Amino acid sequence: MTTTALLRTADALNARASERIPDKDDATLHARARAGRRAVVMTMGALHEGHATLIRTAREIAGPDGEVVVTVFVNPLQFGAGEDLDRYPRTLDADLKLAEQSGADAVFAPAVDEVYPGGEPQVRVSAGPMGERLEGAARPGHFDGMLTVVAKLLHLTRPDIALYGQKDAQQLALIRRMVRDLNFGVEIVGVPTVREEDGLALSSRNRYLSAAERRTALALSRALFAGRDRHAAQEALRARAREVPATHARAEALSALGESRAAADTHAVAKASPGGPAAVRAAARLVLDEAGRLNPPLALDYLALVDPTDFTDIQDDFTGEAVLAVAARVGTTRLIDNIPLIFGAAS
């Protein structure tokens, strides 16, 4: 198993990028660059199996000659007024152990002064219009703070590859956009969401939930799965329709059959358009509306079906990759989740 170093400064981290060896001619020391690539996994600590999956994926990508660095930094810039900066869990000893077990070479856990040596930076990265939608609307300034620290950590850690979880889909999209727009020389890799057996997406904030709140919180993933199932039924129906002669009567019959097989959201679908994105939203919304009547209730922030390139709502004639995203509060804990969908995969 890899022995994982705990490093507090960028100088200490980047000293690992080269090995000081004697020059064969004059016995002076010179630097020899590492043979493989450096892969970085950025976290705010309180690591769980979702982070472990990111680290293991980074290890596979970097290979035996590469280096895997896990950053642990609770970034004050991305917490708004009234958010949980002070109570955000700090579990560095446990984080170091999990990182080591997952194959990390180093944990970079800088102090605030190391990341922001002059105090809060006056110059920051703006997330632009995408940063004002969904999570950005619910948490003004959050994405500016997130992108600023990601930019700082990319400079401090100097990776070839950086990995992020797809659970934070809007964050991942914004990081990809920043790297492309500002010409960062780093490859961005998204890793699928890791879920518990009951479907709840793994999150450091899950530990705040009481047993009753956790039961209510399951509505987030159930809603997404209902939308996914509705979408799968629609796509299967379209595939069957393409396999037979196209007549108006047969198309109407197949449409009716598809509606009956989507019985879980029949009532909601009846209020929406008969297929496509509207029906997917309706199926998910039905589950969330029911959860709003539970004890404790789920308080919905948003449910959205969006284009992942800019996080704008997709229309009923949309084709391509989309993201079905949800955010809600249960008690005092705010949770997010999402799943990818593809519309019109075959023609």
Side-chain angles (χ1 to χ4, degrees), residues 22-36:
D23 187 282
K24 64 180 181 180
D25 296 323
D26 59 14
T28 59
L29 294 177
H30 69 277
R32 182 175 65 197
R34 64 182 182 269

Side-chain angles (χ1 to χ4, degrees), residues 134 281 304-308 311-314 318 321-325:
L134 299 187
R281 293 186 187 96
L305 186 54
V306 297
D307 183 334
F311 272 69
T312 57
D313 288 330
I314 66 171
F318 179 86
E321 184 178 348
V323 171
L324 180 61

